[in-house]
Amino acid sequence: MKSKKFWLALGAVSILGGGYWRLKFHPVGITVLTNQEKTHRVLAEARGLDEVVVLLHASDWPHTFWEPKLIYSKTEGREIGNYYWSKDGSVILHTGKPDEESPSRFDAAYDFKDHSLLNLTTAGSKDECHSEIEKLVAHRGGLGGLVMGLPDGKNY
């Protein structure tokens, strides 16, 4: 009898754990984007009713085991900018314009080789962030392809 309870409990835990993992790494309403080699992936999601927010997460298993790492979020009304892969496909980065007069700058990146996030919070200032990402991208072969297929939130 104890053996049967053990297996039922183990089955329940497995189902709940699998469901949690599925929702975190394969949620409904998410666009999965990969680099050209299909070795790294990011999850793009548009959500909200009154104000649409576009979120981009790195799914870098097992380094983002509990939750995909948030790379960048865009609120409707701000320019979305562009996302690019590095030429070697190991870095995804975001370029944005702080205002209409300013040139595009790197403001967020996720490095799949080092499993690290670079953004304004980690770098300290906009100039330092741009400079660090610029160096990283140069080290990884330069700027690669534009990421296509991001959701715009208009279907919500």
Side-chain angles (χ1 to χ4, degrees):
M1 189 65 163
K2 287 184 180 182
S3 177
K4 186 175 182 180
K5 286 182 182 179
F6 169 78
W7 288 111
L8 285 173
L10 183 62
V13 168
S14 297
I15 289 170
L16 290 173
Y20 174 80
W21 183 84
R22 171 82 169 111
L23 286 175
K24 283 294 186 182
F25 290 95
H26 302 283
V28 176
I30 297 289
T31 303
V32 178
L33 306 163
T34 62
N35 61 348
Q36 194 170 15
E37 297 80 22
K38 303 206 181 308
T39 53
H40 305 301
R41 66 187 200 154
V42 292
L43 310 173
E45 174 186 18
R47 63 168 111 151
L49 296 173
D50 295 334
E51 185 175 56
V52 176
V53 178
V54 177
L55 305 169
L56 191 74
H57 291 85
S59 180
D60 186 14
W61 197 88
H63 303 281
T64 58
F65 182 75
W66 295 110
E67 188 170 348
K69 180 72 83 175
L70 178 65
I71 300 170
Y72 188 80
S73 65
K74 179 261 179 201
T75 304
E76 190 175 27
R78 285 177 37 208
E79 183 173 329
I80 190 167
N82 291 307
Y83 292 94
Y84 294 91
W85 288 103
S86 60
K87 279 209 174 153
D88 74 348
S90 66
V91 176
I92 186 155
L93 52 115
H94 179 263
T95 62
K97 293 175 79 168
D99 53 57
E100 287 298 317
E101 293 79 39
S102 300
S104 289
R105 300 177 60 79
F106 299 127
D107 56 12
Y110 186 81
D111 183 351
F112 284 91
K113 282 187 179 177
D114 291 339
H115 316 289
S116 61
L117 177 67
L118 290 169
N119 60 20
L120 297 175
T121 306
T122 61
S125 75
K126 291 179 184 178
D127 291 335
E128 287 176 39
C129 180
H130 176 77
S131 177
E132 284 184 39
I133 295 172
E134 197 170 45
K135 287 179 205 169
L136 175 63
V137 170
H139 182 70
R140 301 295 170 79
L143 201 57
L146 179 65
V147 175
M148 304 298 283
L150 287 170
D152 58 10
K154 293 183 177 156
N155 298 329
Y156 294 88

